[in-house]
Amino acid sequence: MAVTAIVASSFPSSQHLISSSSSSCPHRASKVRTPLLQSSRGSIATSSSSSFVGEKLFLAGGVNQSRRECSLWRNLIFVPPKAVSELDDSEACLDSTPGEVFGYASPEPRHSSAARKYDRHPQNVDLPPVLPKKKKKPYPIPIHKVQRSARIDKKLAQMGVEKHLEPPKNGLLVPELIPVAYQTLESWKVLIEGLAQLLTVVPVYGCRECPEVYVGSAGHLIQDCSGPQNVKRRSRHVWVRGTINDVLIPIEAYHLFDPFGHRIKHETRFNYERIPAVVELCIQAGVELPQYPSRRRSIPVRMLGKKVIDRGGFVEEPKPCRSQDAMALLSEIDTYAVLNGQFISPPADTRKAAERTLKAYSTVRSGVRQLMKKYTVKACGYCSEVHVGPWGHNAKLCGAFKHQWRDGKHGWQDATIDEVIPPNFVWHLKDPQGPPPSGALKRFYGKAPAVVEVCVQAGAEIPDAYRPMMRLDIVVPEAEEARLVA
Ligand SMILES: [Zn+2]
Ligand SMILES: [Zn+2]
Ligand SMILES: [Zn+2]
């Protein structure tokens, strides 16, 4: 919270730079990325007759049903990606190719034809696992595969054979994805505007000492704060009123006029603006924004191994236009600008606004997922930094685990969608008017991405894709009952 507040106090274009450079450890105190996942192993239970098997309380329906759920869930993970046309408001799942499961991507259940018949009976799934803080994130693509293709590249380069590059890896746009990029950016604007409005109606709290976020009035009572001196507080969170940045966690990237041009160095980092990573991805995929110009090539980039042998020369970046319009645009695409903006009035029709916002969220995620299949986005394996473009950057601002061993350099690897749009899981409240979740009843609660939870509490229908993790068919018992069940 502290960081959010400081960063939000000056106007966006200047504070983007401040936020990424004012201290040598920009990420340490940042709320960004640290997953808000506390309970590592969710229990599955109903309040009625349940049997206790291992760490799971199985549904009254019996072990068979539970087994089917497990295998179904496994199947869901391995279902290949769908076309965007099929996605509509329910979101597709992991953007991995079959058999390639991302260890820490949020499991968003996919709607395969095989799974569809179970849609009417929501399945309960485990809550997202807690990721160890003091460990590098897993590689989205297994490291041996990366190394193997690097070896092949090197061999071909030694033989003088140019690397075969298809758009957009050769700097040309992918024409089919230009409309996707436009639609994603439009939905991104709708999402930000809608969230800002809904937050005048739905209360959000953030812990001052840790990344925990809570959608509901006055914070929850689960004592799982991991912030500094949490022992003194018996791990109670210190709740303060949250903002849009606690719901839609800001992930920014440098805007590049030419992603294939000069690499950003630590010393030249101030020459580049920081904008939301989603927006930068849309620009690189074809969206034209006069305030963020982008080099469009007609002649492909050529590479020999890792070396660019023809990029059409370096072109000087045109001065971006700084008109009134440019500033207006910023307040549409940037959550920081929303915080600095004028008074936001509540939506005229809350339920409609919630539906529209949730739909926009799904469209943004499925759009980004599509774009990321072709356009390269890199993420640091140690911190929350994201880079849109083929090679990462060299700004030495990594403040995460063991950064002193890397001279502050980020460790670039391919990004997953959850690094570009962190799901930011929060407890799902079946009855926002009821008592807040407490430690004793923790395992009866499900979770949902904060954006989804805000929209659902504002009256939006729950999308099927999020039902299993929200544990909708579990009745939360009274505290006394819970003891008996346990
Ligand atoms: Zn540091
Ligand atoms: Zn806390
Ligand atoms: Zn880093």
Side-chain angles (χ1 to χ4, degrees), residues 257-262 295-302 308-317 391:
F257 169 66
D258 182 4
F260 292 81
H262 293 290
R295 178 174 183 180
R296 304 297 183 201
R297 290 186 160 78
S298 51
I299 298 163
V301 167
R302 288 163 55 208
V308 178
I309 50 173
D310 185 7
R311 56 159 63 84
F314 291 104
V315 175
E316 208 195 322
E317 180 167 350
W391 299 306

Side-chain angles (χ1 to χ4, degrees), residues 90-124:
S90 62
E91 208 195 317
C93 182
L94 307 166
D95 51 340
S96 50
T97 49
E100 204 182 283
V101 176
F102 293 1
Y104 60 105
S106 65
E108 287 143 315
R110 177 192 295 281
H111 291 228
S112 68
S113 49
R116 204 169 285 277
K117 61 182 148 187
Y118 295 103
D119 280 358
R120 303 219 158 37
H121 304 279
Q123 315 290 322
N124 294 307

Side-chain angles (χ1 to χ4, degrees), residues 27 380 382-385 398-400 406 409-411:
H27 309 295
C380 177
Y382 302 87
C383 76
S384 62
E385 181 73 359
C398 188
R406 284 174 281 114
K409 280 188 201 131
H410 295 290

Side-chain angles (χ1 to χ4, degrees), residues 38 206-212 224-227 230 233 235-239:
Q38 304 297 345
C207 177
R208 206 176 58 203
E209 307 292 343
C210 83
E212 182 81 354
D224 56 1
C225 186
S226 55
N230 57 337
R233 285 177 280 115
S235 297
R236 286 195 186 90
H237 294 285
V238 185
W239 298 111

Side-chain angles (χ1 to χ4, degrees), residues 53-238:
V53 182
E55 278 191 79
K56 278 185 181 167
L57 278 163
F58 282 127
L59 296 168
V63 174
N64 277 345
Q65 187 190 342
S66 308
R67 282 219 187 101
R68 197 174 64 214
E69 282 164 23
C70 292
S71 60
L72 176 69
W73 173 233
R74 239 164 255 139
N75 291 341
L76 286 172
I77 292 179
F78 283 89
V79 168
K82 293 169 66 171
V84 79
S85 55
E86 296 172 82
L87 290 171
D88 13 280
D89 57 341
S90 62
E91 208 195 317
C93 182
L94 307 166
D95 51 340
S96 50
T97 49
E100 204 182 283
V101 176
F102 293 1
Y104 60 105
S106 65
E108 287 143 315
R110 177 192 295 281
H111 291 228
S112 68
S113 49
R116 204 169 285 277
K117 61 182 148 187
Y118 295 103
D119 280 358
R120 303 219 158 37
H121 304 279
Q123 315 290 322
N124 294 307
V125 298
D126 281 356
L127 299 180
V130 185
L131 295 178
K133 255 191 222 156
K134 297 254 158 203
K135 222 176 141 210
K136 203 195 85 57
K137 297 182 242 169
Y139 292 99
I141 298 169
I143 187 69
H144 66 268
K145 281 194 186 171
V146 176
Q147 287 167 339
R148 194 200 302 148
S149 73
R151 271 198 302 274
I152 294 169
D153 279 0
K154 199 176 166 191
K155 209 165 252 173
L156 286 175
Q158 281 165 349
M159 299 189 303
V161 180
E162 273 183 46
K163 199 168 166 177
H164 176 75
L165 298 169
E166 303 249 358
K169 310 282 182 204
N170 61 5
L172 303 187
L173 291 174
V174 180
E176 310 88 85
L177 287 178
I178 296 173
V180 175
Y182 271 97
Q183 195 195 26
T184 305
L185 188 67
E186 278 316 301
S187 299
W188 176 252
K189 291 180 192 173
V190 173
L191 171 62
I192 289 176
E193 191 197 10
L195 267 184
Q197 287 181 348
L198 292 176
L199 291 184
T200 62
V201 186
V202 179
V204 170
Y205 285 82
C207 177
R208 206 176 58 203
E209 307 292 343
C210 83
E212 182 81 354
V213 170
Y214 178 76
V215 179
S217 43
H220 66 65
L221 304 174
I222 298 167
Q223 286 160 265
D224 56 1
C225 186
S226 55
Q229 304 198 310
N230 57 337
V231 181
K232 275 191 192 161
R233 285 177 280 115
R234 299 176 65 200
S235 297
R236 286 195 186 90
H237 294 285
V238 185

